[in-house]
């Protein structure tokens, strides 16, 4: 860990910690597919196909992305407002906010249909007879991954450099690395035409874990600050019997 350690980053209200944890849960709506969307191929179907406009329960999956995006923006805004400003930390929270913006983009620009499930949809996609929303979805989905990796990596670097957030210092960079490897795995799966669905689900699961680690890191700081405050108060009372 770098020796450039200053004062702590400060703490955020408990509601911000809860919002980060809830964002992790709402981003994992794909786990409902076995119940709501059993026809989609788990191994080869895009996760984004669950929220395609013509699919049943597509609003459930889109709502999950939308809520995750809104909550991530709120968490980023509160941390930027309340915590100590340092370059790496500021960049990390900013990318978390951008991750939220891109997640909202995923919800706002769904696919028209499910190419892996419907042959006519795959043919329309190949002939470029799909809507702007369908085409732009690949942009927002890619941006979600990039911003998620950047947020985890930068927050991990900030934690290690400034001596903050032990959970992020330990796990943030590993999650960012795993997400980057799975992104490369997506390209390989697309080339091979197999296992794309599995790799994508791993990608999303890693981002969910990242949000949980962020929530835990913020909670641990709040808990430790409360303990230090109680210890200081007890010591003060003991000094003045």
């Amino acid at each position: 860990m770098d020796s450039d350690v200053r004062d702590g980053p400060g703490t955020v209200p408990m509601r911000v910690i809860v919002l980060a944890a809830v964002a992790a849960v709402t981003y994992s709506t794909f786990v409902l597919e076995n119940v709501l969307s059993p026809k989609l191929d788990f191994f080869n179907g895009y996760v984004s196909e669950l929220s395609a406009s013509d699919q049943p329960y597509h609003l459930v999956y889109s709502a999950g992305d939308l809520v995750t995006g809104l909550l991530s923006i709120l968490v980023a805004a509160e941390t930027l407002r309340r915590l100590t400003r340092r370059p790496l930390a500021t960049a990390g929270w900013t990318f978390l906010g951008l991750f939220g913006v891109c997640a909202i983009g995923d919800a706002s620009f769904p696919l028209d249909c499910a190419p892996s499930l419907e042959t006519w949809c795959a043919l329309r996609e190949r002939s470029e007879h799909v809507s702007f929303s369908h085409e732009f979805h690949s942009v927002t989905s890619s941006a979600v991954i990039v911003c998620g990796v950047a947020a985890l990596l930068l927050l991990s670097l900030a934690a290690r450099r400034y001596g903050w957030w032990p959970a992020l210092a330990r796990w943030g960079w590993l999650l960012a690395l795993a997400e980057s490897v799975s992104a490369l795995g997506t390209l390989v799966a697309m080339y091979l035409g197999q296992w794309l669905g599995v790799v994508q689900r791993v990608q999303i699961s890693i981002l969910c874990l990242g949000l949980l680690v962020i929530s835990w890191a913020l909670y641990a700081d709040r808990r430790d600050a409360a303990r230090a405050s109680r210890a200081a108060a007890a010591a003060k009372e003991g000094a003045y019997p």
Side-chain angles (χ1 to χ4, degrees):
M1 188 175 293
D2 198 294
S3 60
D4 182 18
V5 179
R6 304 289 194 271
D7 296 332
T11 61
V12 295
M14 193 64 194
R15 67 175 182 276
V16 178
I17 298 166
V18 172
L19 291 180
V22 172
V25 175
T26 56
Y27 203 51
S28 61
T29 53
F30 71 92
V31 300
L32 300 173
E33 63 182 308
N34 288 333
V35 176
L36 302 181
S37 310
K39 292 183 179 180
L40 188 69
D41 187 350
F42 174 86
F43 295 98
N44 301 306
Y46 290 97
V47 176
S48 296
E49 292 180 82
L50 294 168
S51 58
S53 299
D54 70 338
Q55 293 302 300
Y57 304 105
H58 66 95
L59 292 179
V60 174
Y61 305 109
S62 292
D65 288 345
L66 178 64
V67 172
T68 297
L70 292 172
L71 296 183
S72 297
I73 292 171
L74 288 174
V75 171
E78 283 291 294
T79 51
L80 285 170
R81 186 168 73 92
R82 294 176 179 274
L83 300 184
T84 303
R85 296 288 186 91
R86 294 288 166 78
L88 288 172
T90 299
W93 296 123
T94 300
F95 269 103
L96 179 64
L98 291 174
F99 163 82
V101 171
C102 295
I104 293 174
D106 268 353
S108 303
F109 298 97
L111 299 176
D112 297 338
C113 48
S116 71
L117 189 61
E118 299 156 329
T119 303
W120 63 267
C121 179
L123 293 174
R124 281 182 58 184
E125 190 175 62
R126 290 173 187 172
S127 62
E128 299 184 353
H129 286 83
V130 290
S131 69
F132 172 80
S133 175
H134 189 104
E135 293 183 341
F136 193 66
H137 187 84
S138 62
V139 176
T140 59
S141 294
S142 299
V144 161
I145 302 301
V146 172
C147 292
V149 169
L152 287 171
L153 181 59
L154 288 166
L155 290 174
S156 175
L157 291 174
R160 297 173 71 84
R161 179 172 180 79
Y162 309 132
W164 300 345
W165 311 313
L168 278 167
R170 182 175 184 180
W171 299 107
W173 69 273
L174 286 172
L175 290 172
L177 177 61
E179 186 70 8
S180 299
V181 170
S182 65
L184 293 175
T186 299
L187 298 178
V188 175
M190 290 176 68
Y191 177 78
L192 297 176
Q194 294 181 343
W195 301 102
L196 180 59
V198 174
V199 176
Q200 278 202 323
R201 285 158 178 78
V202 170
Q203 275 188 309
I204 297 173
S205 298
I206 293 171
L207 290 176
C208 291
L209 285 174
L211 289 167
L212 288 175
V213 170
I214 288 172
S215 177
W216 175 257
L218 295 174
Y219 169 75
D221 263 9
R222 182 179 174 84
R223 178 199 60 195
D224 293 345
R227 288 176 177 173
S229 178
R230 288 195 296 268
K236 186 176 180 180
E237 290 178 2
Y240 298 99

Short mmCIF file of all heavy atoms in Angstrom, two decimals, residues 122-177:
data_model
loop_
_atom_site.label_atom_id
_atom_site.label_comp_id
_atom_site.label_asym_id
_atom_site.label_seq_id
_atom_site.Cartn_x
_atom_site.Cartn_y
_atom_site.Cartn_z
N ALA A 122 -33.06 -12.86 -36.21
CA ALA A 122 -31.65 -12.95 -36.57
C ALA A 122 -31.43 -12.49 -38.01
O ALA A 122 -30.44 -11.80 -38.31
CB ALA A 122 -31.16 -14.39 -36.40
N LEU A 123 -32.36 -12.84 -38.91
CA LEU A 123 -32.25 -12.42 -40.31
C LEU A 123 -32.40 -10.91 -40.44
O LEU A 123 -31.67 -10.26 -41.21
CB LEU A 123 -33.30 -13.14 -41.15
CG LEU A 123 -33.11 -14.66 -41.29
CD1 LEU A 123 -34.29 -15.28 -42.03
CD2 LEU A 123 -31.80 -14.96 -42.03
N ARG A 124 -33.35 -10.34 -39.71
CA ARG A 124 -33.52 -8.89 -39.73
C ARG A 124 -32.28 -8.18 -39.21
O ARG A 124 -31.85 -7.15 -39.73
CB ARG A 124 -34.74 -8.49 -38.90
CG ARG A 124 -36.07 -8.70 -39.59
CD ARG A 124 -37.22 -8.25 -38.71
NE ARG A 124 -37.10 -6.84 -38.34
CZ ARG A 124 -37.94 -6.23 -37.52
NH1 ARG A 124 -38.93 -6.91 -36.96
NH2 ARG A 124 -37.77 -4.95 -37.22
N GLU A 125 -31.69 -8.76 -38.18
CA GLU A 125 -30.50 -8.15 -37.59
C GLU A 125 -29.33 -8.18 -38.58
O GLU A 125 -28.60 -7.19 -38.74
CB GLU A 125 -30.13 -8.90 -36.31
CG GLU A 125 -29.06 -8.22 -35.47
CD GLU A 125 -28.81 -8.94 -34.17
OE1 GLU A 125 -28.39 -10.14 -34.22
OE2 GLU A 125 -29.03 -8.36 -33.09
N ARG A 126 -29.15 -9.31 -39.25
CA ARG A 126 -28.05 -9.44 -40.20
C ARG A 126 -28.24 -8.53 -41.42
O ARG A 126 -27.26 -8.03 -41.98
CB ARG A 126 -27.93 -10.90 -40.66
CG ARG A 126 -27.43 -11.83 -39.57
CD ARG A 126 -27.48 -13.28 -40.00
NE ARG A 126 -27.17 -14.17 -38.88
CZ ARG A 126 -27.28 -15.49 -38.94
NH1 ARG A 126 -27.69 -16.07 -40.06
NH2 ARG A 126 -26.98 -16.23 -37.89
N SER A 127 -29.47 -8.33 -41.81
CA SER A 127 -29.75 -7.46 -42.97
C SER A 127 -29.90 -5.99 -42.55
O SER A 127 -30.23 -5.15 -43.39
CB SER A 127 -31.02 -7.93 -43.69
OG SER A 127 -32.15 -7.85 -42.82
N GLU A 128 -29.68 -5.71 -41.26
CA GLU A 128 -29.74 -4.35 -40.71
C GLU A 128 -31.12 -3.72 -40.87
O GLU A 128 -31.23 -2.51 -41.06
CB GLU A 128 -28.67 -3.48 -41.35
CG GLU A 128 -27.25 -3.98 -41.09
CD GLU A 128 -26.20 -3.06 -41.66
OE1 GLU A 128 -26.56 -2.09 -42.37
OE2 GLU A 128 -25.00 -3.30 -41.38
N HIS A 129 -32.16 -4.55 -40.77
CA HIS A 129 -33.53 -4.06 -40.80
C HIS A 129 -34.11 -4.05 -39.38
O HIS A 129 -35.16 -4.62 -39.11
CB HIS A 129 -34.40 -4.91 -41.73
CG HIS A 129 -34.14 -4.66 -43.18
ND1 HIS A 129 -33.11 -5.28 -43.86
CD2 HIS A 129 -34.76 -3.85 -44.06
CE1 HIS A 129 -33.11 -4.87 -45.11
NE2 HIS A 129 -34.09 -4.00 -45.27
N VAL A 130 -33.37 -3.42 -38.49
CA VAL A 130 -33.82 -3.30 -37.11
C VAL A 130 -33.83 -1.81 -36.74
O VAL A 130 -33.27 -0.97 -37.46
CB VAL A 130 -32.90 -4.08 -36.14
CG1 VAL A 130 -33.07 -5.57 -36.31
CG2 VAL A 130 -31.44 -3.69 -36.34
N SER A 131 -34.44 -1.51 -35.62
CA SER A 131 -34.57 -0.12 -35.20
C SER A 131 -33.26 0.44 -34.67
O SER A 131 -32.31 -0.29 -34.39
CB SER A 131 -35.65 0.00 -34.12
OG SER A 131 -35.20 -0.61 -32.92
N PHE A 132 -33.23 1.77 -34.51
CA PHE A 132 -32.08 2.41 -33.89
C PHE A 132 -31.86 1.89 -32.48
O PHE A 132 -30.72 1.69 -32.05
CB PHE A 132 -32.28 3.93 -33.86
CG PHE A 132 -31.24 4.66 -33.07
CD1 PHE A 132 -30.00 4.93 -33.61
CD2 PHE A 132 -31.49 5.06 -31.75
CE1 PHE A 132 -29.01 5.59 -32.87
CE2 PHE A 132 -30.53 5.73 -31.01
CZ PHE A 132 -29.28 5.99 -31.58
N SER A 133 -32.95 1.67 -31.76
CA SER A 133 -32.86 1.16 -30.39
C SER A 133 -32.12 -0.17 -30.37
O SER A 133 -31.24 -0.40 -29.52
CB SER A 133 -34.26 0.99 -29.80
OG SER A 133 -34.21 0.39 -28.52
N HIS A 134 -32.46 -1.06 -31.29
CA HIS A 134 -31.84 -2.38 -31.36
C HIS A 134 -30.34 -2.25 -31.62
O HIS A 134 -29.52 -2.92 -30.98
CB HIS A 134 -32.50 -3.20 -32.49
CG HIS A 134 -32.10 -4.63 -32.51
ND1 HIS A 134 -32.93 -5.64 -32.05
CD2 HIS A 134 -30.95 -5.24 -32.92
CE1 HIS A 134 -32.31 -6.81 -32.20
NE2 HIS A 134 -31.11 -6.59 -32.74
N GLU A 135 -29.97 -1.39 -32.56
CA GLU A 135 -28.56 -1.21 -32.90
C GLU A 135 -27.78 -0.51 -31.80
O GLU A 135 -26.64 -0.87 -31.49
CB GLU A 135 -28.45 -0.41 -34.20
CG GLU A 135 -28.96 -1.15 -35.43
CD GLU A 135 -28.76 -0.35 -36.70
OE1 GLU A 135 -28.57 0.88 -36.61
OE2 GLU A 135 -28.79 -0.95 -37.79
N PHE A 136 -28.40 0.49 -31.18
CA PHE A 136 -27.71 1.28 -30.17
C PHE A 136 -27.53 0.51 -28.87
O PHE A 136 -26.66 0.86 -28.07
CB PHE A 136 -28.48 2.58 -29.92
CG PHE A 136 -27.71 3.60 -29.13
CD1 PHE A 136 -26.58 4.19 -29.66
CD2 PHE A 136 -28.11 3.98 -27.86
CE1 PHE A 136 -25.85 5.14 -28.95
CE2 PHE A 136 -27.40 4.92 -27.13
CZ PHE A 136 -26.27 5.50 -27.68
N HIS A 137 -28.32 -0.52 -28.67
CA HIS A 137 -28.23 -1.29 -27.43
C HIS A 137 -26.83 -1.88 -27.24
O HIS A 137 -26.34 -1.97 -26.11
CB HIS A 137 -29.27 -2.42 -27.42
CG HIS A 137 -29.35 -3.15 -26.11
ND1 HIS A 137 -30.11 -2.70 -25.06
CD2 HIS A 137 -28.73 -4.28 -25.68
CE1 HIS A 137 -29.98 -3.53 -24.04
NE2 HIS A 137 -29.15 -4.50 -24.39
N SER A 138 -26.19 -2.27 -28.33
CA SER A 138 -24.84 -2.83 -28.21
C SER A 138 -23.85 -1.78 -27.71
O SER A 138 -22.89 -2.11 -27.01
CB SER A 138 -24.37 -3.37 -29.57
OG SER A 138 -24.31 -2.33 -30.53
N VAL A 139 -24.11 -0.50 -28.03
CA VAL A 139 -23.25 0.58 -27.56
C VAL A 139 -23.39 0.75 -26.05
O VAL A 139 -22.41 0.82 -25.31
CB VAL A 139 -23.57 1.90 -28.29
CG1 VAL A 139 -22.73 3.04 -27.72
CG2 VAL A 139 -23.32 1.75 -29.78
N THR A 140 -24.64 0.83 -25.59
CA THR A 140 -24.87 1.02 -24.15
C THR A 140 -24.39 -0.18 -23.35
O THR A 140 -23.82 -0.02 -22.25
CB THR A 140 -26.35 1.28 -23.86
OG1 THR A 140 -27.14 0.17 -24.31
CG2 THR A 140 -26.84 2.54 -24.58
N SER A 141 -24.57 -1.38 -23.89
CA SER A 141 -24.13 -2.59 -23.17
C SER A 141 -22.62 -2.62 -23.04
O SER A 141 -22.08 -3.00 -21.99
CB SER A 141 -24.62 -3.84 -23.90
OG SER A 141 -26.03 -3.93 -23.86
N SER A 142 -21.91 -2.25 -24.10
CA SER A 142 -20.45 -2.21 -24.04
C SER A 142 -19.98 -1.13 -23.07
O SER A 142 -19.02 -1.33 -22.31
CB SER A 142 -19.87 -1.95 -25.44
OG SER A 142 -20.23 -2.97 -26.34
N ALA A 143 -20.66 0.01 -23.09
CA ALA A 143 -20.28 1.12 -22.21
C ALA A 143 -20.49 0.76 -20.75
O ALA A 143 -19.72 1.20 -19.87
CB ALA A 143 -21.07 2.37 -22.57
N VAL A 144 -21.51 -0.02 -20.45
CA VAL A 144 -21.76 -0.48 -19.08
C VAL A 144 -20.54 -1.24 -18.56
O VAL A 144 -20.07 -1.02 -17.43
CB VAL A 144 -23.01 -1.37 -19.01
CG1 VAL A 144 -23.01 -2.22 -17.75
CG2 VAL A 144 -24.27 -0.52 -19.04
N ILE A 145 -20.02 -2.15 -19.38
CA ILE A 145 -18.87 -2.95 -18.98
C ILE A 145 -17.64 -2.07 -18.77
O ILE A 145 -16.93 -2.18 -17.75
CB ILE A 145 -18.56 -4.03 -20.03
CG1 ILE A 145 -19.78 -4.94 -20.24
CG2 ILE A 145 -17.35 -4.85 -19.59
CD1 ILE A 145 -20.26 -5.64 -19.01
N VAL A 146 -17.38 -1.17 -19.73
CA VAL A 146 -16.21 -0.31 -19.64
C VAL A 146 -16.26 0.56 -18.38
O VAL A 146 -15.28 0.67 -17.63
CB VAL A 146 -16.10 0.58 -20.89
CG1 VAL A 146 -15.01 1.63 -20.72
CG2 VAL A 146 -15.81 -0.27 -22.13
N CYS A 147 -17.41 1.18 -18.14
CA CYS A 147 -17.54 2.06 -16.97
C CYS A 147 -17.50 1.27 -15.67
O CYS A 147 -16.94 1.74 -14.67
CB CYS A 147 -18.85 2.86 -17.07
SG CYS A 147 -18.85 4.08 -18.40
N GLY A 148 -18.08 0.08 -15.67
CA GLY A 148 -18.04 -0.76 -14.47
C GLY A 148 -16.62 -1.17 -14.12
O GLY A 148 -16.20 -1.11 -12.96
N VAL A 149 -15.85 -1.58 -15.13
CA VAL A 149 -14.45 -1.96 -14.91
C VAL A 149 -13.65 -0.75 -14.42
O VAL A 149 -12.86 -0.85 -13.47
CB VAL A 149 -13.83 -2.53 -16.20
CG1 VAL A 149 -12.32 -2.65 -16.06
CG2 VAL A 149 -14.43 -3.88 -16.53
N ALA A 150 -13.85 0.39 -15.08
CA ALA A 150 -13.12 1.60 -14.70
C ALA A 150 -13.42 2.01 -13.26
O ALA A 150 -12.52 2.38 -12.50
CB ALA A 150 -13.46 2.74 -15.66
N ALA A 151 -14.70 1.94 -12.87
CA ALA A 151 -15.08 2.32 -11.51
C ALA A 151 -14.41 1.42 -10.48
O ALA A 151 -13.83 1.89 -9.49
CB ALA A 151 -16.60 2.26 -11.36
N LEU A 152 -14.48 0.11 -10.70
CA LEU A 152 -13.89 -0.83 -9.73
C LEU A 152 -12.37 -0.68 -9.67
O LEU A 152 -11.78 -0.69 -8.57
CB LEU A 152 -14.25 -2.26 -10.13
CG LEU A 152 -15.70 -2.67 -9.88
CD1 LEU A 152 -15.98 -4.03 -10.52
CD2 LEU A 152 -16.00 -2.73 -8.38
N LEU A 153 -11.73 -0.53 -10.83
CA LEU A 153 -10.28 -0.41 -10.84
C LEU A 153 -9.82 0.89 -10.17
O LEU A 153 -8.90 0.88 -9.34
CB LEU A 153 -9.78 -0.46 -12.28
CG LEU A 153 -8.25 -0.37 -12.46
CD1 LEU A 153 -7.56 -1.50 -11.71
CD2 LEU A 153 -7.89 -0.39 -13.93
N LEU A 154 -10.45 2.00 -10.51
CA LEU A 154 -10.04 3.28 -9.94
C LEU A 154 -10.32 3.36 -8.45
O LEU A 154 -9.50 3.89 -7.69
CB LEU A 154 -10.76 4.42 -10.67
CG LEU A 154 -10.27 4.68 -12.11
CD1 LEU A 154 -11.26 5.57 -12.86
CD2 LEU A 154 -8.88 5.31 -12.09
N LEU A 155 -11.45 2.84 -8.01
CA LEU A 155 -11.74 2.84 -6.57
C LEU A 155 -10.78 1.93 -5.82
O LEU A 155 -10.37 2.23 -4.69
CB LEU A 155 -13.19 2.41 -6.33
CG LEU A 155 -14.25 3.43 -6.76
CD1 LEU A 155 -15.65 2.84 -6.61
CD2 LEU A 155 -14.13 4.71 -5.95
N SER A 156 -10.39 0.82 -6.45
CA SER A 156 -9.42 -0.07 -5.83
C SER A 156 -8.06 0.61 -5.72
O SER A 156 -7.39 0.54 -4.68
CB SER A 156 -9.29 -1.35 -6.66
OG SER A 156 -8.28 -2.19 -6.14
N LEU A 157 -7.65 1.30 -6.78
CA LEU A 157 -6.38 2.02 -6.75
C LEU A 157 -6.40 3.13 -5.71
O LEU A 157 -5.42 3.36 -4.99
CB LEU A 157 -6.07 2.59 -8.14
CG LEU A 157 -5.74 1.58 -9.24
CD1 LEU A 157 -5.61 2.28 -10.58
CD2 LEU A 157 -4.47 0.81 -8.90
N ALA A 158 -7.55 3.82 -5.62
CA ALA A 158 -7.69 4.87 -4.61
C ALA A 158 -7.59 4.28 -3.20
O ALA A 158 -6.93 4.84 -2.32
CB ALA A 158 -9.03 5.58 -4.79
N ALA A 159 -8.25 3.14 -3.00
CA ALA A 159 -8.23 2.50 -1.69
C ALA A 159 -6.80 2.11 -1.29
O ALA A 159 -6.38 2.28 -0.14
CB ALA A 159 -9.14 1.26 -1.70
N ARG A 160 -6.05 1.59 -2.22
CA ARG A 160 -4.68 1.16 -1.93
C ARG A 160 -3.74 2.36 -1.75
O ARG A 160 -2.86 2.33 -0.90
CB ARG A 160 -4.17 0.26 -3.05
CG ARG A 160 -4.97 -1.04 -3.18
CD ARG A 160 -4.56 -1.84 -4.40
NE ARG A 160 -3.25 -2.42 -4.23
CZ ARG A 160 -2.99 -3.57 -3.60
NH1 ARG A 160 -3.98 -4.26 -3.06
NH2 ARG A 160 -1.76 -4.02 -3.51
N ARG A 161 -3.93 3.40 -2.53
CA ARG A 161 -3.04 4.56 -2.45
C ARG A 161 -3.27 5.38 -1.18
O ARG A 161 -2.32 5.82 -0.53
CB ARG A 161 -3.22 5.45 -3.68
CG ARG A 161 -2.34 6.69 -3.65
CD ARG A 161 -2.39 7.46 -4.95
NE ARG A 161 -1.55 8.64 -4.91
CZ ARG A 161 -0.24 8.67 -5.05
NH1 ARG A 161 0.41 7.53 -5.25
NH2 ARG A 161 0.45 9.78 -5.02
N TYR A 162 -4.55 5.59 -0.84
CA TYR A 162 -4.87 6.47 0.28
C TYR A 162 -5.10 5.74 1.60
O TYR A 162 -5.36 6.37 2.62
CB TYR A 162 -6.10 7.31 -0.06
CG TYR A 162 -6.00 8.02 -1.39
CD1 TYR A 162 -7.05 7.97 -2.31
CD2 TYR A 162 -4.85 8.74 -1.73
CE1 TYR A 162 -6.96 8.62 -3.53
CE2 TYR A 162 -4.76 9.39 -2.96
CZ TYR A 162 -5.81 9.32 -3.86
OH TYR A 162 -5.73 9.96 -5.08
N GLY A 163 -5.06 4.40 1.56
CA GLY A 163 -5.29 3.65 2.78
C GLY A 163 -6.76 3.62 3.19
O GLY A 163 -7.06 3.52 4.38
N TRP A 164 -7.65 3.68 2.21
CA TRP A 164 -9.09 3.68 2.48
C TRP A 164 -9.69 2.33 2.06
O TRP A 164 -9.08 1.55 1.35
CB TRP A 164 -9.79 4.78 1.68
CG TRP A 164 -9.34 6.17 1.98
CD1 TRP A 164 -8.60 6.61 3.04
CD2 TRP A 164 -9.59 7.34 1.18
NE1 TRP A 164 -8.39 7.95 2.98
CE2 TRP A 164 -8.98 8.44 1.86
CE3 TRP A 164 -10.27 7.58 -0.01
CZ2 TRP A 164 -9.04 9.74 1.35
CZ3 TRP A 164 -10.33 8.86 -0.51
CH2 TRP A 164 -9.72 9.94 0.17
N TRP A 165 -10.92 2.07 2.51
CA TRP A 165 -11.76 0.99 1.99
C TRP A 165 -11.01 -0.33 1.78
O TRP A 165 -10.76 -0.75 0.63
CB TRP A 165 -12.41 1.41 0.68
CG TRP A 165 -13.06 2.74 0.70
CD1 TRP A 165 -13.91 3.24 1.64
CD2 TRP A 165 -12.92 3.78 -0.29
NE1 TRP A 165 -14.30 4.51 1.31
CE2 TRP A 165 -13.73 4.87 0.12
CE3 TRP A 165 -12.21 3.89 -1.49
CZ2 TRP A 165 -13.82 6.04 -0.61
CZ3 TRP A 165 -12.31 5.05 -2.22
CH2 TRP A 165 -13.10 6.12 -1.79
N PRO A 166 -10.65 -1.03 2.86
CA PRO A 166 -9.91 -2.30 2.73
C PRO A 166 -10.56 -3.31 1.79
O PRO A 166 -9.86 -4.02 1.06
CB PRO A 166 -9.88 -2.82 4.17
CG PRO A 166 -9.96 -1.58 5.01
CD PRO A 166 -10.86 -0.63 4.26
N ALA A 167 -11.89 -3.38 1.80
CA ALA A 167 -12.57 -4.35 0.93
C ALA A 167 -12.31 -4.04 -0.54
O ALA A 167 -12.06 -4.94 -1.35
CB ALA A 167 -14.07 -4.35 1.22
N LEU A 168 -12.37 -2.76 -0.91
CA LEU A 168 -12.09 -2.37 -2.29
C LEU A 168 -10.62 -2.54 -2.63
O LEU A 168 -10.26 -2.92 -3.75
CB LEU A 168 -12.53 -0.93 -2.54
CG LEU A 168 -14.01 -0.72 -2.83
CD1 LEU A 168 -14.39 0.74 -2.74
CD2 LEU A 168 -14.36 -1.28 -4.21
N ALA A 169 -9.75 -2.25 -1.66
CA ALA A 169 -8.31 -2.43 -1.90
C ALA A 169 -7.99 -3.89 -2.19
O ALA A 169 -7.14 -4.19 -3.04
CB ALA A 169 -7.53 -1.95 -0.68
N ARG A 170 -8.71 -4.78 -1.52
CA ARG A 170 -8.42 -6.21 -1.69
C ARG A 170 -9.12 -6.83 -2.88
O ARG A 170 -8.53 -7.63 -3.63
CB ARG A 170 -8.83 -6.96 -0.41
CG ARG A 170 -8.53 -8.44 -0.46
CD ARG A 170 -8.84 -9.11 0.87
NE ARG A 170 -8.48 -10.50 0.87
CZ ARG A 170 -8.65 -11.32 1.90
NH1 ARG A 170 -9.19 -10.87 3.02
NH2 ARG A 170 -8.29 -12.59 1.81
N TRP A 171 -10.39 -6.46 -3.09
CA TRP A 171 -11.19 -7.16 -4.08
C TRP A 171 -11.50 -6.35 -5.35
O TRP A 171 -11.81 -6.94 -6.39
CB TRP A 171 -12.52 -7.60 -3.46
CG TRP A 171 -12.36 -8.53 -2.31
CD1 TRP A 171 -12.55 -8.26 -0.99
CD2 TRP A 171 -11.94 -9.90 -2.37
NE1 TRP A 171 -12.28 -9.37 -0.22
CE2 TRP A 171 -11.91 -10.39 -1.04
CE3 TRP A 171 -11.59 -10.75 -3.42
CZ2 TRP A 171 -11.55 -11.70 -0.74
CZ3 TRP A 171 -11.23 -12.07 -3.13
CH2 TRP A 171 -11.21 -12.52 -1.80
N GLY A 172 -11.43 -5.03 -5.27
CA GLY A 172 -11.83 -4.22 -6.41
C GLY A 172 -11.06 -4.51 -7.67
O GLY A 172 -11.63 -4.71 -8.75
N TRP A 173 -9.72 -4.56 -7.55
CA TRP A 173 -8.90 -4.79 -8.75
C TRP A 173 -9.08 -6.20 -9.29
O TRP A 173 -9.02 -6.43 -10.50
CB TRP A 173 -7.43 -4.51 -8.45
CG TRP A 173 -6.77 -5.49 -7.54
CD1 TRP A 173 -6.75 -5.47 -6.18
CD2 TRP A 173 -6.04 -6.65 -7.94
NE1 TRP A 173 -6.05 -6.55 -5.69
CE2 TRP A 173 -5.60 -7.29 -6.74
CE3 TRP A 173 -5.71 -7.22 -9.17
CZ2 TRP A 173 -4.85 -8.47 -6.77
CZ3 TRP A 173 -4.96 -8.39 -9.20
CH2 TRP A 173 -4.54 -9.01 -8.00
N LEU A 174 -9.31 -7.17 -8.39
CA LEU A 174 -9.55 -8.54 -8.83
C LEU A 174 -10.85 -8.65 -9.62
O LEU A 174 -10.92 -9.34 -10.65
CB LEU A 174 -9.58 -9.48 -7.63
CG LEU A 174 -8.24 -9.79 -6.97
CD1 LEU A 174 -8.45 -10.59 -5.69
CD2 LEU A 174 -7.33 -10.56 -7.94
N LEU A 175 -11.88 -7.96 -9.13
CA LEU A 175 -13.16 -7.96 -9.85
C LEU A 175 -13.02 -7.25 -11.19
O LEU A 175 -13.59 -7.70 -12.19
CB LEU A 175 -14.24 -7.30 -9.00
CG LEU A 175 -14.69 -8.08 -7.75
CD1 LEU A 175 -15.61 -7.24 -6.89
CD2 LEU A 175 -15.38 -9.38 -8.16
N ALA A 176 -12.27 -6.14 -11.21
CA ALA A 176 -12.04 -5.43 -12.48
C ALA A 176 -11.30 -6.32 -13.46
O ALA A 176 -11.62 -6.35 -14.67
CB ALA A 176 -11.27 -4.14 -12.22
N LEU A 177 -10.31 -7.06 -12.98
CA LEU A 177 -9.56 -7.98 -13.84
C LEU A 177 -10.45 -9.10 -14.35
O LEU A 177 -10.42 -9.44 -15.54
CB LEU A 177 -8.38 -8.56 -13.06
CG LEU A 177 -7.51 -9.59 -13.80
CD1 LEU A 177 -6.88 -8.97 -15.04
CD2 LEU A 177 -6.44 -10.15 -12.87
#
